[in-house]
Amino acid sequence: MSALRQFLEAFFGPLDQLLGSLPLMTGRVAVALLLLVPLVWVLRLDREFILLGSPDRARWRDLRLWAVLVTLPYLAIYLFL
């Protein structure tokens, strides 16, 4: 065995065993959280900041709405399929 392989197995071995012992749903929930955290951040932005520079204040120009619409299918895939 090469020295690099021995080092990497010694270093990452315990982490590999820990992650291997977790149920598969744990990874799916982790990905869902990685999608939800930025979504919540975007939803908390002020409407005036979101619409800055837009020619009008039409509801469809609100990027927070588009962020939700884009994120929902990914959440459905990771949590329910």
Side-chain angles (χ1 to χ4, degrees), residues 4-42:
L4 178 61
R5 182 177 174 135
Q6 287 177 340
F7 171 74
L8 291 176
E9 284 182 356
F11 187 76
F12 289 111
L15 179 62
D16 184 44
Q17 289 176 353
L18 172 71
L19 293 176
S21 68
L22 295 174
L24 221 48
M25 190 63 181
T26 305
R28 299 172 101 182
V29 170
V31 170
L33 287 174
L34 287 174
L35 291 168
L36 284 172
V37 167
L39 182 64
V40 169
W41 177 72
V42 166

Side-chain angles (χ1 to χ4, degrees), residues 59-77:
R59 182 74 178 145
W60 68 271
R61 292 189 188 271
D62 193 344
L63 295 178
R64 297 173 299 178
L65 171 69
W66 293 105
V68 171
L69 290 175
V70 167
T71 305
L72 283 178
Y74 288 103
L75 285 172
I77 289 169

